[in-house]
Amino acid sequence: MIEIKNLAKRFGATVILDDVNLTVREGDTLALLGPSGTGKSVLLKHIIGLLRPDSGEVIVDDQHVELLSRKDLSTLRRSIGYVFQNGALFDSMDVFENIRLGLTDQKEFRNLEYAKERIAECLRLVNLPEDTQRKMPAELSGGMRKRVGIARAIAGRPKYVLYDEPTSGLDPVNSDIIDALIMRLDTELNVTGVMVTHDVRGAFRTADRIALLTGGKIIAEGTPEEFRASDNPEVRAFLERDFELASS
Amino acid sequence: MSSIATQLQHRTGRAVLDALAHVGRFAGLVMEMIRGLPEWRIWLPRTMQEAYSIGVGSLFIVILISSFAGAVTALQAGYQFTGNIPIYVVGSLVTESIVLELGPVLCGLILAGRIGARYAAELGTMRVTEQIDALESLGRAPSSHLLIPRVLGCLLMIPILVIFANVMGVLAGWAAAKSALPISDQDFIYGARVFWRPFDAYYSIIKGFFFAGAIGLISCYMGYTTQQGAAGVGRSTTGAVVTASVIILLLDTLLAKLLLH
């Protein structure tokens, strides 16, 4: 379980997160909605310890992330897959080596036969052909990069997967493919997911729970049905533009 | 008047704080690298790749620059030394100038541009495209994957390149002296040996190590702490080359004072 309690973060004089409270139950996929620049990705980076809070607590599996030693944080990170907004693939390595780095268990990483099998399996899971393995990131389309990023994130069989804008910059067809993939990972691998997005339609399709972050605070949280029925004016205003699409 | 004084105080305070922040971050980065040293299975093969890349990639430019430096030193010495100064002094001057100063310093400055700029730009791009965050998110230490191999690659190869620069500089100086001045091989060799001390060679290599450390550490620090997109990468790259060059010249002076006097 992921618990965030009274989390605050500022960069210089700008307050990004202000007393954020959020809980993600095991097995759930939570979509974190919000306008651009409200700190959704910043919140995600706190969960995996890439950023440290100014105050508050981030607890993953009963471990306080902000208090962990370098070694313990490294161990915790092996149970969390992180899908970056633009893939963040290592551009000096081919797809095979990129996904291989996702094998966070060192014995598995060094066992080349296992690595080959697991990488082929991950590529199948994200619907990419096997010959993608030897391509360099620069040779891939935006959608393929995102899928390789997901393959890398799940290669080490993580318990949690954090998605940072998994469908941003993609056309509707590729967005649907990624959404379907997230749902498939949820059901087949039973991972707990947190997805940062401003794609309302995708959030309603893939998430078990939805939260809205705006002004540095979580102002609403609930199931997609509760969210749709919310009479919170800020939720209504945010959903207004996409609501019909989301309901379709 | 008081407003100008306040502004001056404000700017001085800001500059001091910025400098202290750099010192703190730099020390943190060095500590991170020291903590990554036990992960030798990761950094050792990457260090070999980096060393190969530095050595093979820089050899031509190092030989070119040092050869020109040696030739020009010989020709200018011949032009200046007239009258009662014996011609063999050209051999002394070329050898001592190249080995004590021009070989290591020119090599250092050239490599600060070539290697320093490359490392700062590579790491800066990795930072702004979240590749370094991705590495950390996979539970892997950027120090053992990215930083230690680059710094050790510099420490391994730059002193060797300095030796190449010294040898090529002296040989080119010798050839230039013979072609333009009335000096025999025996005169040149005599001149080269008459003021030679074995410590001169060690001193040159010691300088190479210090310059290598400056280039590796400064460029890695600048690249690793890059912020704010493509403009940030540009600033880091320029900053790495300028800072490493200035530090090389400072070290050059400091080492001369400490080791030669």
Side-chain angles (χ1 to χ4, degrees):
Chain A
M1 190 162 78
I2 300 170
E3 290 173 275
I4 294 164
K5 294 178 182 173
N6 310 112
L7 180 67
K9 181 73 180 175
R10 62 166 64 204
F11 292 123
T14 312
V15 176
I16 306 293
L17 300 174
D18 181 18
D19 200 26
V20 169
N21 290 285
L22 190 67
T23 300
V24 186
R25 292 188 298 239
E26 280 193 20
D28 275 1
T29 296
L30 179 123
L32 190 59
L33 290 172
S36 297
T38 49
K40 302 187 295 295
S41 300
V42 170
L43 180 57
L44 214 56
K45 285 183 176 175
H46 277 88
I47 296 174
I48 199 165
L50 288 173
L51 291 173
R52 284 180 183 270
D54 293 339
S55 62
E57 298 167 75
V58 180
I59 304 164
V60 179
D61 287 344
D62 299 324
Q63 297 178 83
H64 285 253
V65 176
E66 73 280 5
L67 301 177
L68 289 178
S69 67
R70 183 176 180 264
K71 193 178 167 194
D72 291 340
L73 184 60
S74 178
T75 307
L76 176 71
R77 281 171 174 164
R78 287 172 190 162
S79 66
I80 304 174
Y82 196 113
V83 180
F84 286 83
Q85 193 169 352
N86 295 309
L89 302 181
F90 305 114
D91 47 23
S92 59
M93 297 177 187
D94 62 15
V95 167
F96 179 89
E97 289 300 332
N98 262 284
I99 301 176
R100 193 179 174 199
L101 274 178
L103 297 172
T104 46
D105 182 297
Q106 282 307 299
K107 280 184 189 159
E108 292 178 357
F109 177 77
R110 286 195 210 106
N111 182 341
L112 191 60
E113 284 310 308
Y114 173 82
K116 281 180 184 171
E117 276 179 33
R118 180 67 184 147
I119 289 162
E121 191 184 341
C122 289
L123 284 173
R124 273 198 300 279
L125 270 169
V126 297
N127 295 324
L128 281 173
E130 208 163 325
D131 64 0
T132 314
Q133 287 187 28
R134 289 298 160 204
K135 289 189 173 166
M136 298 302 283
E139 298 173 77
L140 305 176
S141 68
M144 289 170 88
R145 280 168 155 262
K146 298 236 181 197
R147 279 186 276 170
V148 173
I150 294 173
R152 184 177 66 186
I154 61 171
R157 303 178 198 278
K159 188 175 170 187
Y160 303 98
V161 179
L162 311 178
Y163 304 91
D164 190 358
E165 305 276 9
T167 57
S168 73
L170 296 182
D171 59 75
V173 175
N174 268 310
S175 293
D176 285 350
I177 289 172
I178 298 286
D179 286 344
L181 181 59
I182 292 170
M183 286 190 281
R184 194 174 155 201
L185 293 177
D186 185 20
T187 51
E188 287 185 21
L189 305 180
N190 194 32
V191 293
T192 303
V194 181
M195 179 172 63
V196 157
T197 184
H198 37 239
D199 173 14
V200 175
R201 191 174 67 116
F204 273 88
R205 284 179 62 190
T206 54
D208 301 303
R209 297 184 70 79
I210 297 176
L212 179 63
L213 178 72
T214 181
K217 291 178 190 293
I218 301 284
I219 58 155
E221 192 199 341
T223 63
E225 292 72 30
E226 287 168 348
F227 215 74
R228 227 182 236 122
S230 171
D231 53 5
N232 182 320
E234 285 185 87
V235 174
R236 303 300 317 164
F238 186 76
L239 297 183
E240 194 74 23
R241 187 169 51 85
D242 297 290
F243 202 64
E244 283 178 25
L245 194 60
S247 306
S248 64
Chain B
M1 193 66 189
S2 68
S3 148
I4 293 171
T6 311
Q7 271 190 6
L8 195 67
Q9 275 181 340
H10 180 77
R11 283 185 186 178
T12 311
R14 168 68 58 195
V16 170
L17 284 177
D18 284 349
L20 288 175
H22 274 296
V23 170
R25 282 196 295 265
F26 186 78
L29 190 84
V30 173
M31 285 304 296
E32 195 68 20
M33 280 193 264
I34 291 168
R35 279 200 289 258
L37 283 175
E39 297 174 345
W40 61 271
R41 278 174 193 266
I42 295 166
W43 58 255
L44 189 60
R46 289 172 171 81
T47 300
M48 292 301 130
Q49 285 172 3
E50 288 299 334
Y52 178 82
S53 162
I54 294 169
V56 172
S58 311
L59 192 59
F60 174 73
I61 187 73
V62 165
I63 286 175
L64 188 76
I65 298 286
S66 57
S67 299
F68 277 110
V72 169
T73 307
L75 296 175
Q76 288 187 351
Y79 168 73
Q80 288 174 339
F81 295 170
T82 52
N84 293 330
I85 298 174
I87 195 69
Y88 70 77
V89 173
V90 172
S92 311
L93 190 89
V94 168
T95 311
E96 294 295 297
S97 302
I98 291 291
V99 173
L100 291 178
E101 183 65 12
L102 292 176
V105 171
L106 286 180
C107 192
L109 291 175
I110 287 297
L111 295 178
R114 192 181 178 278
I115 309 294
R118 197 186 101 201
Y119 283 176
E122 273 177 6
L123 293 172
T125 305
M126 289 186 80
R127 171 62 75 194
V128 299
T129 56
E130 295 185 306
Q131 291 177 52
I132 293 177
D133 283 347
L135 203 56
E136 285 191 79
S137 77
L138 295 167
R140 296 175 184 279
S143 58
S144 48
H145 281 78
L146 302 172
L147 304 176
I148 294 173
R150 283 172 167 81
V151 175
L152 288 186
C154 284
L155 287 171
L156 208 62
M157 282 317 296
I158 291 179
I160 295 174
L161 288 169
V162 167
I163 295 171
F164 270 100
N166 291 343
V167 172
M168 292 310 298
V170 172
L171 290 178
W174 188 353
K178 270 190 72 181
S179 70
L181 305 170
I183 185 170
S184 66
D185 288 341
Q186 286 78 11
D187 285 337
F188 191 92
I189 293 168
Y190 176 76
R193 295 178 69 174
V194 74
F195 293 112
W196 176 259
R197 279 166 292 193
F199 177 72
D200 296 349
Y202 299 135
Y203 175 70
S204 191
I205 294 168
I206 290 168
K207 277 169 85 162
F209 270 114
F210 275 90
F211 297 168
I215 294 167
L217 286 170
I218 290 167
S219 58
C220 282
Y221 169 73
M222 290 292 196
Y224 194 73
T225 54
T226 297
Q227 289 175 332
Q228 296 166 350
V233 176
R235 270 196 301 276
S236 296
T237 309
T238 314
V241 175
V242 172
T243 312
S245 301
V246 171
I247 296 291
I248 283 170
L249 296 174
L250 282 173
L251 284 171
D252 190 33
T253 314
L254 197 67
L255 289 172
K257 176 73 183 157
L258 290 176
L259 300 180
L260 298 183
H261 292 274

